[in-house]
Amino acid sequence: KAQTPDSPLRTPRGHRQGMGSVEEISEAVGHAFWDTQPVPSLNAEEEDACGPINPADPEKVRAEPYNLPPAFEWTDLDLSDAEQAKELYTLLHENYVEDGDAMFRFDYSLDFIRWAMQPPGALDYWHVGVRVSQTKKLVAFIGATPADLLCHGQRVEPRPPPAADKAEEGEGGAGASGVNIEEKLSGLDLDGGATGSAASSGGGAAELGDQAVVEVNFLCVHKKLRSKRLAPVLIREVTRRVNEKGIFQATYTAGVVLPRPVARCRYWHRSLNPKKLIEVGFSRLAPRMTMVRTLKLYALPDQPVTKGVRALKEEDVPSCCAKLNAYLRRYKLTPQLSEAEFSHWLVPRKGVIYTYVVEEAGEDGEKEVTDMFSFYSLPSSVLKHEKHTKLHAAYCYYYFANKTPVQQLISDALVLAKRHEFDVFNALDILDNDSLLKELKFGIGDGHLQYYLYNWRCPTVVAKEIGLVLLRLLLRAHAARRSGRFSTRAVAPALPPCVPAACDRRLRLLRPAP
């Protein structure tokens, strides 16, 4: 067997995020913070049932915005406005995430930011910015978007306030009945701020429709203002605004173990353009491997193997949405999408999201879609390199496989990602991925990603039972110069709800979460 040259992957140190690494946050906060929050402790017994830990009480939500340091003011960003969207792009591009060796930096496009932050039901009120009062310059941001989540077949949502809940207490009050709708994982904290996702009570928020979760993302503070403790205030303020709409549950991810994970998974990476990855320092030739052998190892066919593969069209949305929801319901932690959400997240957008379906003739001769796969784009700028300026990464997104084997679909995704000139393809060992990653020459990373639910108890879920793909589950990798192996660094899409001074961040998803 040919040895995979850049496997296993090793997580390097020294990676810089806009908010500080998850490790730094965990060390700063410790578990003392979590002891004050409605989450199970690490030594708590395994839960058998699902439901809220604490009831929701909208009457206790703070009515006034949190105070900012002198010389700063709150602002809501309308990302439909070109000038305001450009302001956010500039803030993220210059201050968000770069690796510890200053070799790579995430480069979110305006189209990606709008795609990530403006799904159906999005509110400008949840695009929370901080400006310098005198110059009106945007210097900090945090955003939230609505979604929904199913856990063990049950919708994640809060109980009514105690006064309205008495009639239900005799029925066990385990929470809500299982429902559909979508959710994207990122960590949002309540009562003290967080970054991720939260679930809503469904009352008093008509503009949110049936969505019951928000994902909090893009927590970013200007590099020169990291000492101003803006991040904790940002987290608390977006939490307050989310709570105003009846949101009291959350889901988030972190690279460290906090009280208490509901699931755990790992990162995997597949080289598409190994020569470029080696040239920019993203990876290195493995011992006893030449460039020629490496290129041969990762060679892909010119065309997809599956017949009838084509890009998703708008007219495919109703049938594909129903089939994806049905497919995802086999998992224990999973989203469900409305047709409007499906159209937003999965209808192809050049440079953002790529979705393909498999179409074949049915028994009556009519063509029907049987399978679907997708991946989204998040490039990084290559810093200080004479030849290359961009590193193009694709991220495995949602799929359903009714007739075509999943491995064949993901193999075709690699072919199409290569055709679109992506350099690397990233995936988690969730969904049905674990059974195919090695066969498709993915290299495993040594970093783990923990999934969490805030103010929600439930039994533990294993990686292959996760159907929730975090949009801002963004990974980065660079070379371990001494080891000669692929090195990866996970940028947690959703930072946990914590508020140390170092917390100026997300990228799930969306933190970017960025």
Side-chain angles (χ1 to χ4, degrees):
K1 290 185 178 180
Q3 181 182 1
T4 304
D6 44 13
S7 175
L9 309 178
R10 184 179 63 80
T11 302
R13 296 292 182 184
H15 185 82
R16 295 194 295 271
Q17 302 181 34
M19 199 172 169
S21 70
V22 176
E23 290 83 358
E24 291 171 342
I25 290 170
S26 179
E27 291 171 0
V29 178
H31 290 170
F33 171 81
W34 294 101
D35 290 341
T36 68
Q37 304 300 303
V39 296
S41 64
L42 287 174
N43 58 1
E45 295 184 2
E46 177 78 9
E47 297 285 351
D48 295 326
C50 294
I53 295 174
N54 289 342
D57 192 350
E59 294 181 359
K60 293 184 179 180
V61 177
R62 178 186 175 113
E64 298 297 323
Y66 283 90
N67 294 326
L68 284 168
F72 298 98
E73 63 185 29
W74 294 113
T75 184
D76 301 347
L77 264 65
D78 176 8
L79 299 181
S80 298
D81 179 79
E83 184 176 343
Q84 295 183 57
K86 180 64 175 178
E87 285 184 287
L88 178 58
Y89 166 82
T90 301
L91 176 70
L92 295 175
H93 180 72
E94 295 179 353
N95 301 279
Y96 205 52
V97 182
E98 72 181 36
D99 71 296
D101 296 323
M103 296 172 65
F104 307 101
R105 179 187 295 138
F106 277 130
D107 189 10
Y108 300 99
S109 67
L110 284 174
D111 288 339
F112 184 95
I113 292 171
R114 285 171 169 154
W115 178 63
M117 298 305 300
Q118 292 186 303
L123 305 176
D124 293 344
Y125 186 58
W126 287 348
H127 299 160
V128 185
V130 174
R131 295 186 185 276
V132 178
S133 299
Q134 186 173 8
T135 64
K136 305 304 179 183
K137 179 181 176 64
L138 184 69
V139 293
F141 178 82
I142 191 170
T145 54
D148 220 339
L149 178 66
L150 298 182
C151 182
H152 293 273
Q154 190 172 72
R155 191 188 197 206
V156 178
E157 60 183 359
R159 287 183 192 169
D165 195 40
K166 294 179 179 179
E168 298 180 11
E169 288 178 350
E171 301 176 7
S177 58
V179 177
N180 65 344
I181 317 255
E182 193 237 353
E183 175 355 311
K184 259 148 233 77
L185 235 290
S186 274
L188 167 67
D189 141 269
L190 315 167
D191 285 336
T195 29
S197 312
S200 119
S201 68
E207 62 268 54
L208 299 180
D210 293 328
Q211 295 160 317
V213 170
V214 302
E215 176 184 347
V216 177
N217 254 309
F218 293 108
L219 172 52
C220 180
V221 175
H222 194 285
K223 293 176 181 178
K224 294 183 179 180
L225 300 175
R226 301 271 162 87
S227 64
K228 298 292 184 180
R229 298 184 61 84
L230 291 177
V233 186
L234 278 166
I235 293 170
R236 286 195 163 112
E237 177 60 18
V238 76
T239 299
R240 184 191 69 81
R241 296 185 183 202
V242 165
N243 289 347
E244 280 188 329
K245 301 300 182 181
I247 294 176
F248 295 92
Q249 269 69 41
T251 178
Y252 50 94
T253 60
V256 293
V257 177
L258 302 168
R260 187 184 61 190
V262 66
R264 194 183 197 205
C265 56
R266 296 191 75 168
Y267 305 103
W268 293 70
H269 315 267
R270 211 288 188 182
S271 294
L272 301 179
N273 188 350
K275 185 174 186 294
K276 179 179 176 180
L277 296 179
I278 291 169
E279 288 176 347
V280 301
F282 184 93
S283 63
R284 291 186 55 154
L285 284 174
R288 298 180 298 279
M289 284 292 289
T290 65
M291 181 65 74
V292 173
R293 290 179 62 195
T294 300
L295 294 176
K296 184 177 180 180
L297 175 64
Y298 288 113
L300 291 165
D302 295 330
Q303 300 293 331
V305 173
T306 308
K307 295 182 180 180
V309 172
R310 63 166 175 82
L312 176 79
K313 301 176 183 178
E314 189 67 45
E315 52 264 35
D316 300 319
V317 168
S319 64
C320 287
C321 180
K323 290 177 181 179
L324 177 62
N325 285 336
Y327 189 86
L328 291 177
R329 281 194 288 270
R330 69 179 66 186
Y331 303 104
K332 294 183 178 179
L333 183 63
T334 187
Q336 295 280 278
L337 296 139
S338 68
E339 289 185 12
E341 290 173 311
F342 183 97
S343 177
H344 175 85
W345 295 119
L346 289 158
V347 170
R349 303 183 187 204
K350 186 176 181 180
V352 178
I353 177 69
Y354 300 80
T355 305
Y356 293 87
V357 297
V358 179
E359 186 179 60
E360 64 178 43
E363 296 179 357
D364 57 359
E366 293 289 331
K367 291 185 176 180
E368 73 168 310
V369 172
T370 59
D371 311 279
M372 185 197 81
F373 59 89
S374 61
F375 51 90
Y376 65 90
S377 168
L378 182 61
S380 292
S381 296
V382 180
L383 308 179
K384 303 174 185 178
H385 195 276
E386 295 179 357
K387 182 178 179 181
H388 302 288
T389 60
K390 284 286 182 71
L391 184 66
H392 298 278
Y395 295 83
C396 186
Y397 202 35
Y398 288 107
Y399 59 74
F400 61 82
N402 294 326
K403 290 193 175 181
T404 308
V406 175
Q407 181 171 324
Q408 186 171 316
L409 290 177
I410 302 303
S411 178
D412 288 341
L414 296 176
V415 172
L416 291 165
K418 174 72 173 179
R419 181 185 295 178
H420 287 291
E421 300 183 338
F422 284 96
D423 302 310
V424 63
F425 194 99
N426 300 319
L428 287 170
D429 58 353
I430 61 175
L431 296 161
D432 296 329
N433 296 347
D434 186 53
S435 62
L436 56 88
L437 293 170
K438 290 183 180 178
E439 293 297 323
L440 294 180
K441 300 176 184 176
F442 280 75
I444 188 172
D446 65 358
H448 289 82
L449 184 74
Q450 280 70 228
Y451 281 66
Y452 299 90
L453 293 174
Y454 182 93
N455 195 17
W456 190 263
R457 58 170 61 92
C458 69
T460 302
V461 176
V462 298
K464 65 182 180 181
E465 296 173 335
I466 301 172
L468 180 63
V469 183
L470 292 183
L471 175 62
R472 267 69 91 198
L473 199 122
L474 306 178
L475 316 179
R476 305 209 320 145
H478 63 83
R481 293 188 176 88
R482 297 178 182 175
S483 70
R485 295 175 178 175
F486 237 162
S487 299
T488 69
R489 177 62 173 178
V491 180
L495 288 177
C498 40
V499 289
C503 279
D504 62 22
R505 187 193 142 123
R506 190 47 92 91
L507 117 353
R508 207 152 88 285
L509 183 165
L510 189 48
R511 238 145 284 353

